[in-house]
């Protein structure tokens, strides 16, 4: 793009020099009009070259926000599923059914004091020891966490006829301890379809802290124990604002 613009400027300059130097006076008005048209085209090309990346950034952010909203719902559903069942759901349809029917235990943790013998059977030394006790005090529907959210359609990738990919696995956190993990994702190339190919290619190689790194928009991981997404904190601003309002 930059090379094309520079080349056009040089060619225009050469033409202007040749007109002044060699062209008959009666033909100069015609070429002046042609040069004016060329200048307009060149100006548009420069403007388009500047605005294209700016518009691409705005448009991709709108797309990403919609996709991340869906991934957050999937993440919240998986967290609740593991809280109740001890595992993650292998399908989003199963996750939706779980949200519709399951209940979460409401617990209350308190501290009690017990007498504990720190001596022997024959010579007791009774000591007060604090102990934390967790009791189940009731239940609430998982559905209450999804009030006002279109969780029924959370499998669908916004803007395209595709569904999010879901994978399950295990990660060895410490020797002998396997932890269940999940990974939900969609390819950037799928959700940015129709946008400038050269800018999409650059986006697939993004690796800065304020960008979504790599070729996928995803949540969770198959390589580490996490339920975080691969997007930067800027995409969580609305969530933080809602919490502050509460």
């Amino acid at each position: 793009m930059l090379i094309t613009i520079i080349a056009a400027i040089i060619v225009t300059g050469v033409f202007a020099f040749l007109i002044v130097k060699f062209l008959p006076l009666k033909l100069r008005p015609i070429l002046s009009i042609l040069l004016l048209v060329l200048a307009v085209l060149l100006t548009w090309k420069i403007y388009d070259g500047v605005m294209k990346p700016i518009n691409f950034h705005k448009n991709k952010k709108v797309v990403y926000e919609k996709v991340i909203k869906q991934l957050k719902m999937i993440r919240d559903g998986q967290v609740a599923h593991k809280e109740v069942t001890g595992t993650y759901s292998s399908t989003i349809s199963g996750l939706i059914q779980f949200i519709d029917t399951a209940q979460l235990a409401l617990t209350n943790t308190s501290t009690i004091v017990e007498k504990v013998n720190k001596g022997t059977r024959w010579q007791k030394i009774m000591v007060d020891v604090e102990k934390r006790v967790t009791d189940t005090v009731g239940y609430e529907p998982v559905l209450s966490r999804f009030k006002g959210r279109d969780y029924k359609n959370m499998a669908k990738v916004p803007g395209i006829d595709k569904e999010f990919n879901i994978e399950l696995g295990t990660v060895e956190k410490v020797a002998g301890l396997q932890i269940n993990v999940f990974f939900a994702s969609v390819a950037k190339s799928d959700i940015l379809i129709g946008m400038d190919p050269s800018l999409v290619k650059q986006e697939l190689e993004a690796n800065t802290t304020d960008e979504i790194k790599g070729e996928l928009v995803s949540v969770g991981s198959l390589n580490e124990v996490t339920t975080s997404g691969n997007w930067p904190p800027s995409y969580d601003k609305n969530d933080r604002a809602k919490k502050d309002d509460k």
Side-chain angles (χ1 to χ4, degrees):
M1 176 70 71
L2 182 60
I3 294 174
T4 303
I5 293 172
I6 293 173
I9 293 172
I10 293 173
V11 170
T12 303
V14 171
F15 267 115
F17 173 77
L18 292 175
I19 289 171
V20 173
K21 194 75 174 175
F22 301 107
L23 197 68
L25 191 62
K26 62 181 180 179
L27 295 178
R28 288 183 184 180
I30 298 174
L31 277 186
S32 295
I33 294 172
L34 292 176
L35 283 175
L36 180 61
V37 172
L38 181 61
V40 171
L41 291 174
L42 182 59
T43 301
W44 167 250
K45 195 72 174 175
I46 293 172
Y47 174 81
D48 185 55
V50 171
M51 292 304 298
K52 190 174 286 186
I54 295 174
N55 291 331
F56 174 80
H57 179 75
K58 289 180 180 177
N59 293 335
K60 78 170 184 185
K61 190 170 182 182
V62 171
V63 172
Y64 284 162
E65 284 175 347
K66 293 178 181 178
V67 169
I68 289 170
K69 182 180 179 181
Q70 300 293 92
L71 286 172
K72 287 178 179 178
M73 275 197 288
I74 293 173
R75 186 256 316 276
D76 293 347
Q78 289 286 30
V79 168
H81 193 280
K82 189 171 189 296
E83 188 176 333
V84 173
T85 68
T87 61
Y88 292 117
S89 174
S90 60
T91 64
I92 297 182
S93 59
L95 202 56
I96 293 171
Q97 184 179 10
F98 166 80
I99 293 170
D100 282 332
T101 59
Q103 291 191 323
L104 288 160
L106 299 175
T107 60
N108 180 55
T109 301
S110 59
T111 302
I112 62 173
V113 178
E114 291 185 342
K115 294 285 187 181
V116 177
N117 181 19
K118 295 293 186 179
T120 66
R121 289 173 57 187
W122 300 276
Q123 189 174 0
K124 294 183 178 181
I125 302 174
M126 304 306 293
V127 177
D128 290 340
V129 175
E130 289 188 349
K131 183 180 178 181
R132 293 180 69 80
V133 177
T134 300
D135 297 311
T136 300
V137 296
Y139 295 88
E140 70 170 356
V142 174
L143 187 58
S144 64
R145 293 189 179 183
F146 293 85
K147 187 177 181 180
R149 303 170 77 180
D150 187 21
Y151 70 94
K152 293 280 191 181
N153 292 309
M154 64 182 176
K156 298 178 181 178
V157 180
I160 61 174
D161 188 23
K162 279 182 176 288
E163 293 191 351
F164 291 99
N165 183 46
I166 296 284
E167 299 175 76
L168 301 184
T170 58
V171 171
E172 189 173 40
K173 193 170 184 180
V174 295
L177 178 61
Q178 297 289 332
I179 305 295
N180 292 321
V181 293
F182 79 95
F183 185 64
S185 64
V186 64
K188 286 182 178 179
S189 56
D190 288 336
I191 59 178
L192 299 179
I193 193 167
M195 298 189 188
D196 186 271
S198 62
L199 295 175
V200 172
K201 184 179 178 183
Q202 291 177 28
E203 181 63 23
L204 299 183
E205 300 169 354
N207 197 36
T208 58
T209 55
D210 60 341
E211 296 285 352
I212 298 176
K213 297 180 181 180
E215 299 181 0
L216 304 174
V217 184
S218 63
V219 67
S221 174
L222 296 177
N223 301 313
E224 60 178 319
V225 181
T226 181
T227 57
S228 298
N230 70 332
W231 52 84
S234 58
Y235 287 95
D236 294 323
K237 283 182 179 179
N238 290 337
D239 296 341
R240 291 195 296 270
K242 288 178 182 178
K243 287 182 180 179
D244 292 341
D245 290 341
K246 291 180 181 179

